[in-house]
Structures are given as structure tokens and as C-alpha cells.
Amino acid sequence: MGDKAWEPTDVPIRHMSCSADVTCFRTLDETLSHDGGPSFRLPTRLPVPSSKLKKELTLFDVYAISTGAMFSSGFFLLPGLATAKAGPAAVLAYLLAGVLILPAMFSQAELSTAMPKAGGTYYFLDRSLGPLAGTVGGLGTWLALVLKSAFALIGMGAYLYYLVDIPIKPLAAGLTVAFAVLNVVGAKETSGLQRLLVAILVGVLIFFVVQGLAEVVSLGAANVERQFTPFAPFGGGSLIATIGLVFVSYAGLTKVASVAEEVQNPDRNIPLGMFLSLLTATALYVVGVFILVAVLDADELRSDLTPIATAAESFFTWLPGSWGLYLIVVAAIAAFASTGNAGILSASRYPMAMARDLLVTPRLAVLGKSGTPTLAIVVTATLMIVAIVALDVESLAKLASAFQLVIFALVNVAVWVMRETHIPSYVPGYRSPLYPWMQIAGIIAPIVLITQMGALALGLTGLTILLSLGWYAYYVQPNPKVEREGAIYHLFARLGQHRYDPLDGELRTILKEKEMSDFVPFETLVTHSVVIDADPGRDYESVVRQAAMELAKRIGSPADELAEGLLHGARFGATPVIRGAALPHQRLPGIDRPYLALVRCISGLEAPAYDLDVTDGEAKTGKVFAVFVLVSPTEPPGQHLRTLAALASRIDEDGFLDAWRAAPNEQAIRETLVTNDRYLTLVLAPDGTTAAFIGRRLRELRLPQGVLVALVHRDGQAVVPSGSTLLEAGDRLTIIGETDGVRELLDRFSP
């Protein structure tokens, strides 16, 4: 069928209707004839499960959630506490905290692009280290986010005091309720507010930094030297403890992981959004705290809960009245509001994700009318109110930082486990640099910082871990439905112990749901596939060997070796069987493109018992009516797995098997797999709208950009055309390409 390097895709399947001499695909209630053959019905997509969150968050939303979560307490509240512990060295503490967060950021980005699911860190720890680690990590991270968000809303109350005399804690509790209501309404509405708040915040902070640097210059170098001497008056130990304290300032960076399931194009938007956010935060933190130390009295700064407002009053004197102060108050309110808002949004996804896995009551996973986890949001907001009322400011900051440090260390362990297990379906869209040294540093640094944070932080962190272990022993472990184990068992398998095979299948499902943005034409792979109609009475092994023989001719490899690899496939796990369709597959070195064979077994055949991984329908009996044999290059592994995911997605649709068995010919068999809006067929008829194509060479056709003629069907034969192919009456052109181009052709040739 030609040697052009085609690649597969997992483009979502949809159907189009058309008429006249345009042959394409219709809805379930319509029928279609191919070459005068019998008509058959085509399936529609399965409905989206009620527990699935919508993908509504863009790159700017990722940036806004991450940035807004960082610029609250860390900038407007903590600098005074930090300088009280470290003196001028607080500037260095902020810089080093920004550097030390890098391993966690890289690891979170890798795991988020491999497993973009609600619950983020919890999900990563559960699937890598098992339900025990998932329970501890999920409850601990949820609590850390709750504490940080509560801390932010207390800070918001402190700045509102400049405008109105309102008790801080009751105000913070009221704001928690307001943000909870907004989150119940929907993630899209929540992210819209987040964008506005972050735009205001970053704009005002840049203005503050520019004006502050001008003030520092006007005060002169002698003043800066005096203010920064001695640089670390309380010693190196205090500096390390301060790094741990301000670490919470960067904790919002990883909040994005908990909403990864709702992010569009997560492979690009999550790592890029996190990097841009960290760059913004580190620059403004370091420069901003430098300005505070340079312009404010040291003793006053160490006891000031609103240091930015105090600094603004000192050098925004050129603005009329108190406008400089009000400007900073507005920015602070926007910062604290964005943290509280993003905190509830991300924190509520943890109990939801744990409920999906039965680690807490399943009711927390139920979505409300707006498509948000209503009960999880209410529980999260309630815990925030309790923290606001019961804890003081510094305790909130220390506890939030300590919990985050523990979780960040575990996240780096999770990346190491997922990499070393070599699970084929672990295909992150972004990979952490400098592995494994980056992860080793990310494990050691949090441990060192925690030891310097004091007995209270250590004690309550340990208590939280013990309570989580108690919950696991009381609620999770006795539940017979919690049968999964983490990827760490795959690592044990390499050392001679057991492994948890269903994890590979779950990761494949995630690949199918990711909706990868890169265009790799799955339709073209199917269009150029080998089609075999197996005779009745054949067995599974014989049809796989026949398919291997046909593919071997194209690949140029020994047929017997290819067949053995497809039949056993130990490197890739058991052959999946879904709804009466088997998918034997293999990756081979030395080939530059994937190859696919479609084998139809109308009467059905028995699949080997070791190959069965059945879920429902005809597959329960071991009957197989379709065998899809896929052979792909060894690199990149994600290409092979996305093709399997695309095939599985089509097979999983209701009605597919009926359409497959009813297809009257080779082309119709192919078309059952690629019935979507990137594909159509034109029949060249002298008296139809396509008459202008007859007698012309293919290169003379004016086709829309991103569209190509993949096959020309003539006299019962299908050939891959070249630019010089002369088109004749009766030819049937198989056309694939970008959605807009296909629709343009459909409009052009429909009467």
C-alpha cells in the first residue's frame, strides 16, 4: 500500500451526514450503503460519565491558579515573620525556597502529564506507592491546602482592616463561604474570577517593584548596606528554618496538579503554566522582600503583618491622599482572594478523587448540577472555617509548610518508582530533567527543612500521618473493593516479587482520555491497513499468524518471529480483549512507521484464556469477532499506546461490533473504525458535483490545506495515489485531513 510514513492518532470520533455522490457517515438513526451493498447502522459515542470533569482550563487558567495561589501570604503577610527569624537573610530564604521547589515542580509536571486526573498528588501517590501512601498523601495534601487557604483569608481580613474595621476571623469565615458557593457553580466561573484577580495582582506588584526599586536607588547604597548588615544576625540554623517557613509561599505552584483532569492539552499547558508562574513568583518575591528590608525599619518590619502596605505608604507619597496604600490593599485583597478561591477549587478535588477510589465515602465523588463536586467543596470549606477559628497565623503557616514538605518528598519518590517500574503505559508528556539526581535532591531537601521547623510543626505533622494511618486501617483496608496496588509492585516484579497488572490498563485509559493535541493521523493508518476476512472455523493463533505474515511482507521481517512476538508479547503485558475485539500488539526496532492489520471473524473464534481481559458483552464467553494487529516502532512509546487507546475507544462504543460484522467489503470494514469528521469518501460521477475531478491529475485538484487523498478505489482495487494519478469516472476517493478542510469539501460537494 505504499511506503509513506504514516502515524496513528487518537482523534475524537464524530459523525457527519451528507447526500448525493458524497459517501460519508451518519448517526445511529440513519443508514449507509457502500457500493450498493446492504445498509448498516453506525454507533454514536458513549455518554460522558457523570463523574467526569469538563476540560475547561487553558494555559492562562493554569498560570492564574498557580500564581494566584502563591502571591498571598507569601508576599503580603510572611515577610515580616521571615525577617523576624532570619533578618535581611530572608531575601536569600525566598530565593533558596524558589530553587528548592524545582524538583517538586518538575516531578509534579511529569506526573500530571502522565496521569492528568482529579486529586493530583493523591492520585500520583496512590498509583505509584499504593493505597496506604495514597491515603496519607491525600489526607495530608488536602489538609495542607486547607490550612494555606485559611491562612490566606486571614491575611485578606488583615488588609481589609485598612478600609473597614471588621473582625478578621469572622470576615475570613464569611469569605470562605462565598468562595465555596462560587466553586459549586463551576470551574469555568471560578477560573474566570481567578484570571481577573491575578491580572490585577501581577499588574500592581510590578508597579510596586518598579516604584520600590526607584525608592531604594534614591536612598543610596550606604542605606542599603546599613539595612542589610548584619545579613544573617540569627545564624545559619535560623536561615534554614526560615526557608521552611516561606516554602509555603511556593506551595501553590503544585495546586494545578489537583485540577489536571480539567486542563486542556495538559502536556503543554501544565508544565509551561507552572514554569511561567514560578518565574514570576520568584522574581517578585526576591525583589519585593529586598525592597522591604531596604526601606523599612528592621524592628518595625519584624512585627508587621502588613509590610507591603507599610512600604507603599513610605514611597507612594507622590500619589494623592492614600491612593498608594489603597492600591496595595486592592492588590493584597486580590492576592488573598485568588488563593482562597484557588485553594477551595484544588483542595476539594482531593476528597473527590479519594472517594472515586473508595478511600472515603463515595458521596464525595458525586457531581452536582453544575458538574462540580458539591459535597467535597462543602466539606473542604467547613474544615477551612474550623482552621480559621482555632489556629493562629504562624501555626497555620508552619503546619501548611510542613505538610507540603512531606508531600513534595513523596512526589519525588513517586516519579522514581514510575520510571523504574518501566510500565509501558506510563507515558508523560513532559519528563523531569536531570533524573534521578533532581528527585534525590527533592527528597533530601524537604527532610532537612522539616527538622528545622520546630517541635510544633513536627509533632502535628506526625499526628496527621498517624491519623491517616488509622483511617486506612479502620476504613480502607477492610474494604474488599479496594484491591489495587501501586506501581511499586512492578518494581518488586523486577526483583522477583509480584506486580499489579491492572495499573497498566488504567494508565492506558488515561492515555485515551488525554485528547493529545499533536496531529498524528490514525485515519491514515487505518486507511492503509491490511484487511483479512477470516474463514469460519479458524482459531485465534492461526488468524494472528496470517496477519503477521501479511504485515511481515511490508515490514521486511521474518513472519514467524513477528507472529511469536504478537502471540506472547511478554514485554507489553497480556493482549487486551474488549467487547469481542482482541488487540495483539508489538513494538519493533528498525521500522519507521506503524503497521495495522484488521482481521474480521464474522462467526467468532475462541481467544486463548491467557489473553482475556474481559469486561462485558460477548467477550465474557471468550468469543472474538475482530482482531486488530498493531506493530509500531520502539520510539516514541507514546505513539504506540495512543494508537491502542484510539482503537479501544472506537471498539468501546455501543454498536461498533454490529457495524463491523455487517460491513460488506474491505473498505467498509476500514470505515467502521474511522467514522469521524476527519474522513469522507467522494465518488466521481459524470453527472454529479464531483464531475470536475474526472480527467484531471491529483496534483491539479484544489484541496483545502491539511487534506489529502489517501486512497483511490478503481475496479475493485485500492491504490495509494501520487500527484500524477489520473482520475476517472467511477473512482472513489478516500479523503482524510483536518476537520475544517473535510467540512469544506463536504459543503462544496453536497448539492
Side-chain angles (χ1 to χ4, degrees):
M1 284 290 184
D3 296 322
K4 187 172 181 179
W6 306 107
E7 296 180 338
T9 189
D10 50 357
V11 177
I13 296 172
R14 300 201 181 275
H15 306 293
M16 302 186 298
S17 61
C18 54
S19 56
D21 53 349
V22 182
T23 305
C24 57
F25 306 97
R26 305 170 187 255
T27 64
L28 183 62
D29 298 323
E30 297 177 287
T31 58
L32 172 65
S33 293
H34 292 274
D35 298 336
S39 61
F40 60 93
R41 294 186 182 274
L42 291 171
T44 54
R45 262 201 180 281
L46 292 171
V48 176
S50 60
S51 63
K52 187 174 181 180
L53 297 163
K54 298 177 183 177
K55 288 186 176 293
E56 297 181 324
L57 305 180
T58 64
L59 172 62
F60 188 53
D61 292 320
V62 172
Y63 174 82
I65 291 171
S66 182
T67 304
M70 285 193 285
F71 274 125
S72 55
S73 55
F75 195 77
F76 292 95
L77 204 61
L78 275 183
L81 296 174
T83 54
K85 290 184 173 297
V91 177
L92 181 59
Y94 273 92
L95 177 61
L96 292 177
V99 172
L100 293 175
I101 196 72
L102 284 173
M105 185 193 79
F106 289 136
S107 293
Q108 286 274 29
E110 175 170 327
L111 293 167
S112 296
T113 58
M115 299 177 279
K117 300 292 286 184
T121 302
Y122 151 71
Y123 191 86
F124 308 152
L125 297 180
D126 185 276
R127 295 313 188 264
S128 60
L129 304 178
L132 176 58
T135 302
V136 175
L139 292 176
T141 306
W142 180 47
L143 182 58
L145 289 174
V146 164
L147 292 173
K148 177 174 170 55
S149 302
F151 183 35
L153 293 179
I154 287 177
M156 184 174 178
Y159 272 84
L160 279 172
Y161 183 78
Y162 278 93
L163 303 179
V164 286
D165 187 3
I166 302 176
I168 292 175
K169 290 197 172 185
L171 176 60
L175 291 169
T176 302
V177 173
F179 288 128
V181 171
L182 179 63
N183 273 268
V184 168
V185 172
K188 186 174 183 180
E189 291 74 14
T190 305
S191 62
L193 173 62
Q194 193 72 11
R195 292 180 190 178
L196 176 63
L197 292 173
V198 169
I200 294 171
L201 169 64
V202 173
V204 173
L205 289 187
I206 291 174
F207 181 63
F208 172 85
V209 164
V210 171
Q211 180 64 39
L213 289 175
E215 180 72 10
V216 171
V217 170
S218 68
L219 292 174
N223 176 74
V224 173
E225 183 178 354
R226 182 176 62 255
Q227 292 290 92
F228 279 84
T229 303
F231 183 69
F234 309 117
S238 294
L239 173 61
I240 295 174
T242 305
I243 295 171
L245 174 68
V246 302
F247 204 77
V248 71
S249 307
Y250 295 94
L253 182 68
T254 58
K255 279 188 179 181
V256 174
S258 62
V259 294
E261 187 174 329
E262 298 158 84
V263 176
Q264 301 170 5
N265 190 9
D267 287 359
R268 170 184 178 270
N269 291 340
I270 290 177
L272 181 57
M274 292 172 73
F275 174 77
L276 293 174
S277 181
L278 179 61
L279 192 64
T280 302
T282 304
L284 291 178
Y285 272 141
V286 172
V287 177
V289 175
F290 170 80
I291 291 169
L292 294 179
V293 174
V295 302
L296 296 181
D297 178 77
D299 292 333
E300 291 181 4
L301 176 58
R302 292 169 188 172
S303 60
D304 196 343
L305 279 181
T306 57
I308 302 297
T310 304
E313 283 187 298
S314 70
F315 56 70
F316 277 140
T317 54
W318 56 275
L319 289 174
S322 299
W323 280 102
L325 171 63
Y326 293 150
L327 191 64
I328 293 302
V329 169
V330 167
I333 291 171
F336 288 119
S338 66
T339 296
N341 182 46
I344 294 176
L345 172 66
S346 55
S348 62
R349 271 48 177 183
Y350 281 86
M352 174 188 172
M354 296 177 72
R356 284 176 172 178
D357 291 338
L358 305 179
L359 302 189
V360 295
T361 172
R363 287 178 292 179
L364 290 170
V366 176
L367 301 185
K369 293 181 180 179
S370 300
T372 56
T374 304
L375 183 58
I377 292 171
V378 170
V379 171
T380 298
T382 301
L383 186 59
M384 281 178 60
I385 292 172
V386 171
I388 288 169
V389 173
L391 296 174
D392 62 79
V393 173
E394 187 170 353
S395 295
L396 282 171
K398 281 187 174 181
L399 290 178
S401 285
F403 288 135
Q404 284 293 164
L405 287 167
V406 172
I407 298 306
F408 287 162
L410 289 176
V411 164
N412 284 286
V413 173
V415 169
W416 179 78
V417 169
M418 296 304 292
R419 290 273 195 110
E420 294 305 314
T421 52
H422 302 304
I423 298 176
S425 297
Y426 179 69
V427 187
Y430 171 86
R431 286 184 174 268
S432 169
L434 302 177
Y435 174 85
W437 306 112
M438 182 69 71
Q439 281 62 43
I440 293 172
I443 295 168
I444 295 173
I447 294 173
V448 172
L449 292 175
I450 286 177
T451 60
Q452 300 296 317
M453 293 189 67
L456 177 64
L458 284 171
L460 289 179
T461 300
L463 178 62
T464 301
I465 293 173
L466 289 175
L467 290 174
S468 300
L469 293 174
W471 178 259
Y472 177 82
Y474 167 75
Y475 186 88
V476 180
Q477 196 170 34
N479 190 343
K481 294 182 179 179
V482 183
E483 298 177 340
R484 68 188 178 279
E485 298 293 350
I488 195 167
Y489 284 99
H490 290 250
L491 183 60
F492 293 161
R494 295 177 60 197
L495 304 176
Q497 303 296 320
H498 69 286
R499 58 188 282 162
Y500 180 65
D501 289 323
L503 179 62
D504 188 45
E506 183 176 358
L507 293 178
R508 278 196 197 130
T509 301
I510 294 173
L511 277 173
K512 182 172 68 175
E513 294 174 349
K514 280 176 69 174
E515 297 180 5
M516 308 296 288
S517 62
D518 48 317
F519 174 67
V520 279
F522 171 75
E523 305 93 332
T524 310
L525 177 65
V526 174
T527 302
H528 294 78
S529 61
V530 173
V531 177
I532 300 171
D533 236 331
D535 297 328
R538 300 281 298 279
D539 60 25
Y540 176 78
E541 182 172 339
S542 69
V543 299
V544 171
R545 288 190 180 278
Q546 183 181 355
M549 185 179 299
E550 293 298 324
L551 291 177
K553 295 175 184 177
R554 299 185 177 193
I555 297 172
S557 64
D560 289 342
E561 290 182 13
L562 181 59
E564 289 302 319
L566 290 166
L567 286 168
H568 299 291
R571 286 185 299 163
F572 308 107
T575 297
V577 177
I578 307 167
R579 291 193 169 191
L583 286 79
H585 56 99
Q586 187 175 14
R587 286 165 32 210
L588 290 180
I591 61 174
D592 60 357
R593 67 179 179 92
Y595 296 83
L596 179 66
L598 313 177
V599 184
R600 182 171 65 167
C601 319
I602 293 179
S603 59
L605 54 85
E606 296 291 334
Y610 67 83
D611 274 330
L612 289 180
D613 179 18
V614 299
T615 52
D616 58 297
E618 307 246 27
K620 284 183 178 179
T621 66
K623 282 285 187 181
V624 169
F625 300 91
V627 180
F628 302 111
V629 182
L630 175 66
V631 180
S632 301
T634 53
E635 296 295 335
Q639 180 189 81
H640 181 77
L641 294 165
R642 287 196 291 270
T643 306
L644 286 174
L647 287 166
S649 177
R650 183 70 180 103
I651 295 164
D652 199 40
E653 294 187 3
D654 290 333
F656 168 78
L657 203 57
D658 292 336
W660 170 265
R661 296 170 72 181
N665 53 45
E666 270 193 26
Q667 186 58 18
I669 290 173
R670 293 187 180 100
E671 288 168 352
T672 59
L673 282 171
V674 290
T675 53
N676 57 61
D677 53 4
R678 303 178 79 130
Y679 177 100
L680 65 86
T681 300
L682 296 180
V683 178
L684 306 189
D687 56 351
T689 56
T690 56
F693 283 3
I694 298 173
R696 301 179 67 182
R697 300 195 181 278
L698 195 59
R699 61 171 169 263
E700 297 172 0
L701 304 184
R702 289 191 172 184
L703 297 177
Q705 186 175 2
V707 170
L708 61 87
V709 177
L711 289 177
V712 174
H713 308 266
R714 180 183 301 164
D715 299 329
Q717 301 292 320
V719 297
V720 179
S722 65
S724 61
T725 300
L726 186 66
L727 301 178
E728 300 176 2
D731 285 350
R732 193 158 60 127
L733 312 184
T734 298
I735 298 175
I736 60 175
E738 299 285 358
T739 301
D740 292 342
V742 171
R743 287 177 179 166
E744 182 182 331
L745 285 178
L746 181 63
D747 294 339
R748 187 191 307 177
F749 294 107
S750 294

